[in-house]
Amino acid sequence: MTIAPSEKAYVPFVSVDHMMQLVHHIGIEEMLAGLAEYIEADFRRWNLFDKTPRVASHSEEGVIELMPTSDGEVYGFKYVNGHPKNTKAGLQTVTAFGLLANVGNGYPVLLSEMTVLTALRTAATSAMVARHLAPKGSDTMAMIGAGAQSEFQSLAMKALVGLKSVRLFDIDAAATEKAARNLAGMGLEVVKCRSAEESMEGAQIITTCTADKQYATILSDNMVGSGVHINAIGGDCPGKTELAPAILHRSSIFVEYPEQTRIEGEIQQLDPDHAVTEFWRVLAGEAPGRTSAEQITLFDSVGFAIEDFSALRYIRDHIGGTEYYRDLDLLADPDDPRDLFGMLQRAAPCGG
Amino acid sequence: MTIAPSEKAYVPFVSVDHMMQLVHHIGIEEMLAGLAEYIEADFRRWNLFDKTPRVASHSEEGVIELMPTSDGEVYGFKYVNGHPKNTKAGLQTVTAFGLLANVGNGYPVLLSEMTVLTALRTAATSAMVARHLAPKGSDTMAMIGAGAQSEFQSLAMKALVGLKSVRLFDIDAAATEKAARNLAGMGLEVVKCRSAEESMEGAQIITTCTADKQYATILSDNMVGSGVHINAIGGDCPGKTELAPAILHRSSIFVEYPEQTRIEGEIQQLDPDHAVTEFWRVLAGEAPGRTSAEQITLFDSVGFAIEDFSALRYIRDHIGGTEYYRDLDLLADPDDPRDLFGMLQRAAPCGG
C-alpha cells in the first residue's frame, strides 16, 4: 500500500525543462526585467541579509560550493560547481540548483534548477547595475567573449538599459557566429567584430566575459577611453582576471560584497585596501554612482548569494497557477511527528 | 517543442515514498545492518574526509543547517532543520534531504529524502558503536524516550548487537504505547515501564533519546550501575543534555567529532579539555574501546556529516535496478556547453 503524503510534505520543483518553458511563457526580456526588479529590491534591503560566505569544497578538478543566505523570513541556498575541464568532456563547467525554505519552520518551499536561472540572474544583475552607472543614453555595447552568457547579457541590456546595438567579439570566430545567430531577429543590431578593439568602437558599455584564462588581459589600458561603463563578468575566481590593472586605477569600482570580490574579482590585482563602493549603497543613496560623463565606472561582478536568492524568490512568485513545476515528495510528514516508524510500517507493500 | 535532456542532465531522486518502499524491499533489519557496514567503513577511513563544520543559519524559531563533506571522490551534503515548536503545528521538528555529487566534474549523482534515512542512519550508528563498546552478551536495552527514534534504535540493536529485550519508558505513556505497538511482532520482547529506573533493570545498554528539554537530567548518577554502555542520543544541540555530569565523570566517553560534540553533546557540561576518544580511532586500532567488564562506556552521539554521507552512498548503491527512484531533470545539459541560450531558444513552444 502506498500512502499519499500530506500537502506539507510536497516541495514545488522546477526542472530545467519547466524553467525554459517558464521563460518562454513570461518572455525572456520581461523575465530579465522582473529578475532585475527582485534583485534591486533585495540590494536595497542589503543589511537585512545573513551574508554567510560561500562554503567551498576544492579538488584538483574544480570546486563545489554551497551559497546560503537568509533575509530572516526566507532561507535560500545554491549548489554550484565550477569545473573548467568539463567542456572538453561535453559537460557544463558550471551547473547549479537552488532551494528556498521557510525560516519559521525549516520546511523547503521551492527546489529549482539554477543553471539556466543563474545565466538569467547574472545578466539581470549586470543590466540593473548598468542602468544606474552607464552613461545616459547608452545604446551600444561591446560584448567581449561570446560564450554562454553573451546573449543573456545583450538581451538584459536591451530590456533594462535600452541597448540598440551589440558588437560581438570572441577569439573563437565560431563562438561569435553562434551568438550572432542566436541574437538574430531579437530586435538588436548585431555586429560581428574581428578584434576587441573593433568591438569597442562607439560602445558606452563594455562587457567582458571570456573563458577560463589565468590572469588574461582582455582589455589593456590604452583600449579603454573615458566615459564608459565596464561590466566585468569573467574575473570571478582566484587567479582569473580580465582587465589590465591600470584600467582599475582609472576607474570608479563598484562591487557586490567586497569580502568576496577581493578574493575572486578583478580587484584581487589591487591592494586589499583599495577603495571600492558596495553597489547596494548607491541604491540606498549612501554613496554616489556615476558623477561625471568622463568617469569610467567599473562593475567588478563575481555573483553573490543574494542575487540567487532574489532569482529563486522570483520563480517562487511566478510558478503559481502555471504548469511549470511539479510537487516533489521530498519531506517525511507523518500524521504524528513522533511516529515516523508507524508511517514507515503503514507504507509496507502488504499494509503491514 | 519540448526537448528531452541528455542522460547526463538527470539526477536520480529518491522520494519519501520510494525510500519507504526501498526499506521494505530490502528489509528494515538488513538495511540497518547494511547502513552500519557503510558507516563503519567510512569511520575506518576517517582521515580521508574533508570535515567542514556544519553551516548553520539560526533564527528565533530554530536552525537550518547544511552539512557538507567529501572523501575526495564523492561530495555529499545534507540539508536539515531543527524547529522544536513544529510539533505543536503538526510538523516534523526535523526534516532533511541530501545530495551526492561527483567531485571530478561537480555533477550531482543522487538527490534523496533524508528524514527517514537519517532516522535509519542514527540507529545504525548507535548499534555499530554498541557492537564494539557494549558488554559482551548484551541482550537487554533500556530505551528512555519513546519518540520517533526509539523503534529504529531497538531494531538496529537487535540486528547488530543481538538485542532480545527492550524496556521502554517515556514520561508520556501514550508514546510508550505507540512504540510498544510498533515493535509488536518484530521479534523483540517489549516491556513497558513506568519509570526510567524500572526500564534499567537488567539492561546492559541504556539509550537516552528524549525530547527537547533544556539541560534535563534523564539519568541521575545513582541510577547508573557499573558495566553498562550508555548510548546518549538526545543531547544534540547547545543547551540540550540528558545526563547528570557525575555520570560523565565515571564514564569512558566516545564521540564522533570532538569539535562538534563539545558544543552539541553531553560533554558540553564538561571542561573543554576533558579527555574523550574519537570512536573512529577504536575501529582503526589506535585507541582502546571497552577494557573491563565494570567500565561504563558512553557514546555521546550528536550525528555527523560522514554518517549521512555513508547513508547516501548506501542508497546510491542499492537503488540500481529497482523502481524506487526516478530521474530528475535538475541540470541543464546543452549539446554545446557554450550555447545555453540556443538550448533555451530550441525549447520555445513554437520551436523558435
Side-chain angles (χ1 to χ4, degrees):
Chain A
M1 180 174 68
T2 295
I3 299 176
S6 84
E7 207 173 298
K8 293 164 194 159
Y10 286 118
V11 179
F13 166 62
V14 180
S15 68
V16 176
D17 191 49
H18 276 153
M19 182 63 75
M20 296 195 296
Q21 291 180 47
L22 182 68
V23 174
H24 291 294
H25 172 71
I26 295 174
I28 185 162
E29 288 189 48
E30 187 165 341
M31 187 156 167
L32 287 162
L35 286 166
E37 200 177 294
Y38 272 63
I39 295 165
E40 181 162 331
D42 285 341
F43 269 59
R44 286 181 189 277
R45 56 194 193 115
W46 188 264
N47 284 325
L48 261 179
F49 282 88
D50 182 10
K51 285 173 282 294
T52 321
R54 55 177 86 185
V55 186
S57 177
H58 293 277
S59 65
E60 271 183 41
E61 298 89 354
V63 62
I64 295 176
E65 295 180 327
L66 298 173
M67 299 166 70
T69 191
S70 164
D71 68 2
E73 291 185 3
V74 179
Y75 169 93
F77 80 86
K78 177 163 90 165
Y79 170 101
V80 59
N81 73 299
H83 285 73
K85 291 175 199 157
N86 272 7
T87 307
K88 280 179 195 162
L91 299 171
Q92 289 278 111
T93 55
V94 175
T95 63
F97 70 90
L99 179 118
L100 288 183
N102 182 330
V103 166
N105 62 24
Y107 273 52
V109 296
L110 175 69
L111 177 71
S112 176
E113 85 82 34
M114 285 196 80
T115 314
V116 174
L117 187 58
T118 298
L120 293 163
R121 75 86 162 128
T122 300
T125 303
S126 288
M128 184 273 285
V129 172
R131 184 167 56 183
H132 290 278
L133 295 184
K136 281 232 180 328
S138 292
D139 59 6
T140 301
M141 176 169 81
M143 180 68 237
I144 302 176
Q149 179 61 204
S150 58
E151 301 95 337
F152 296 99
Q153 286 285 333
S154 302
L155 288 181
M157 292 291 181
K158 173 174 181 282
L160 275 98
V161 183
L163 197 75
K164 296 201 171 88
S165 178
V166 58
R167 302 176 64 82
L168 296 170
F169 170 69
D170 196 290
I171 47 167
D172 178 359
T176 307
E177 287 297 336
K178 175 231 40 164
R181 201 165 50 238
N182 282 338
L183 286 170
M186 310 282 290
L188 278 172
E189 181 193 37
V190 179
V191 182
K192 294 179 274 187
C193 301
R194 278 153 305 177
S195 68
E197 287 84 348
E198 186 187 340
S199 74
M200 290 162 66
E201 283 170 22
Q204 302 93 356
I205 300 174
I206 302 165
T207 293
T208 56
C209 190
T210 62
D212 45 310
K213 302 272 165 50
Q214 296 290 309
Y215 295 114
T217 302
I218 307 302
L219 293 189
S220 57
D221 189 32
N222 62 358
M223 288 163 67
V224 178
S226 64
V228 296
H229 174 67
I230 303 174
N231 175 40
I233 307 295
D236 64 353
C237 62
K240 185 160 166 253
T241 61
E242 296 180 320
L243 308 188
I247 299 173
L248 305 181
H249 285 286
R250 290 165 57 207
S251 302
S252 302
I253 302 174
F254 300 84
V255 302
E256 289 140 318
Y257 186 55
E259 287 82 341
Q260 186 177 314
T261 313
R262 292 198 193 275
I263 297 168
E264 301 174 0
E266 296 296 331
I267 59 171
Q268 64 187 281
Q269 305 181 80
L270 300 181
D271 288 340
D273 59 354
H274 189 98
V276 300
T277 302
E278 292 181 69
F279 183 72
W280 72 267
R281 299 187 63 230
V282 176
L283 294 177
E286 294 182 13
R290 172 172 291 273
T291 52
S292 81
E294 298 74 36
Q295 190 180 16
I296 301 174
T297 50
L298 165 63
F299 179 44
D300 186 2
S301 176
V302 297
F304 190 59
I306 292 175
E307 294 150 19
D308 300 311
F309 180 91
S310 314
L312 289 169
R313 283 205 305 118
Y314 179 90
I315 297 302
R316 181 199 61 189
D317 292 352
H318 286 79
I319 55 171
T322 77
E323 296 167 8
Y324 309 125
Y325 71 97
R326 66 189 145 119
D327 285 319
L328 221 58
D329 168 22
L330 185 64
L331 306 176
D333 188 44
D335 294 337
D336 175 356
R338 292 176 312 184
D339 197 13
L340 196 62
F341 190 84
M343 180 181 79
L344 177 60
Q345 278 183 307
R346 288 187 287 278
C350 55
Chain B
M1 181 173 68
T2 296
I3 299 176
S6 84
E7 208 174 297
K8 294 165 193 160
Y10 285 118
V11 178
F13 166 61
V14 180
S15 68
V16 176
D17 191 49
H18 276 153
M19 182 64 75
M20 296 195 297
Q21 291 180 47
L22 182 68
V23 174
H24 291 294
H25 172 71
I26 295 174
I28 184 161
E29 287 189 48
E30 187 165 340
M31 186 155 167
L32 286 162
L35 286 166
E37 199 177 294
Y38 272 62
I39 295 165
E40 181 162 333
D42 285 341
F43 269 60
R44 286 182 189 277
R45 56 194 192 115
W46 189 263
N47 284 325
L48 261 179
F49 282 88
D50 181 9
K51 286 173 282 294
T52 321
R54 56 178 84 185
V55 186
S57 177
H58 293 276
S59 65
E60 270 183 42
E61 297 89 355
V63 63
I64 296 175
E65 296 180 326
L66 299 173
M67 299 167 70
T69 190
S70 164
D71 69 2
E73 291 186 2
V74 179
Y75 168 93
F77 80 86
K78 176 162 90 165
Y79 169 101
V80 59
N81 74 298
H83 285 73
K85 290 175 201 158
N86 272 7
T87 308
K88 280 179 196 162
L91 299 172
Q92 289 279 110
T93 55
V94 174
T95 62
F97 71 90
L99 179 118
L100 287 184
N102 181 330
V103 167
N105 62 25
Y107 273 52
V109 296
L110 175 69
L111 177 71
S112 176
E113 84 81 34
M114 286 196 80
T115 313
V116 174
L117 187 58
T118 298
L120 292 164
R121 75 85 163 130
T122 301
T125 303
S126 289
M128 184 272 286
V129 172
R131 185 167 55 183
H132 290 277
L133 295 183
K136 283 231 181 325
S138 292
D139 59 7
T140 302
M141 175 169 81
M143 180 68 237
I144 302 176
Q149 180 60 203
S150 58
E151 302 95 336
F152 296 99
Q153 286 286 333
S154 302
L155 288 181
M157 292 293 181
K158 173 173 182 283
L160 275 97
V161 183
L163 197 73
K164 296 201 171 88
S165 178
V166 58
R167 302 176 63 82
L168 295 170
F169 170 69
D170 197 290
I171 47 167
D172 178 358
T176 307
E177 288 296 335
K178 175 232 36 164
R181 200 166 50 238
N182 282 338
L183 287 170
M186 310 283 289
L188 278 172
E189 180 194 37
V190 179
V191 182
K192 293 180 275 187
C193 302
R194 277 155 303 177
S195 68
E197 287 83 349
E198 186 186 342
S199 74
M200 289 162 67
E201 282 170 22
Q204 302 92 356
I205 299 174
I206 301 165
T207 294
T208 57
C209 190
T210 61
D212 45 310
K213 302 271 165 50
Q214 297 291 308
Y215 295 114
T217 304
I218 307 303
L219 293 189
S220 58
D221 189 32
N222 60 359
M223 289 164 67
V224 178
S226 64
V228 296
H229 174 67
I230 304 174
N231 175 41
I233 307 295
D236 64 354
C237 63
K240 184 161 166 252
T241 60
E242 296 180 320
L243 308 188
I247 299 173
L248 306 182
H249 285 286
R250 290 165 57 208
S251 303
S252 302
I253 303 174
F254 299 84
V255 303
E256 289 141 318
Y257 185 55
E259 287 83 340
Q260 188 177 313
T261 313
R262 292 199 193 274
I263 296 168
E264 301 175 359
E266 295 297 331
I267 59 171
Q268 64 187 281
Q269 305 180 80
L270 300 180
D271 288 340
D273 57 355
H274 189 97
V276 299
T277 302
E278 292 181 69
F279 182 72
W280 71 268
R281 299 186 64 231
V282 176
L283 294 177
E286 295 183 13
R290 172 171 292 273
T291 51
S292 80
E294 298 74 38
Q295 191 179 15
I296 301 173
T297 51
L298 166 63
F299 178 45
D300 186 4
S301 176
V302 297
F304 190 59
I306 292 175
E307 294 150 20
D308 300 311
F309 180 90
S310 314
L312 289 169
R313 282 205 305 117
Y314 178 90
I315 297 302
R316 181 200 60 190
D317 292 352
H318 286 78
I319 55 171
T322 77
E323 295 167 8
Y324 308 125
Y325 71 97
R326 67 187 144 121
D327 286 319
L328 221 58
D329 168 21
L330 184 65
L331 306 175
D333 187 45
D335 293 337
D336 175 356
R338 292 177 312 184
D339 197 14
L340 196 63
F341 190 84
M343 181 181 78
L344 177 60
Q345 279 184 306
R346 288 187 288 276
C350 54

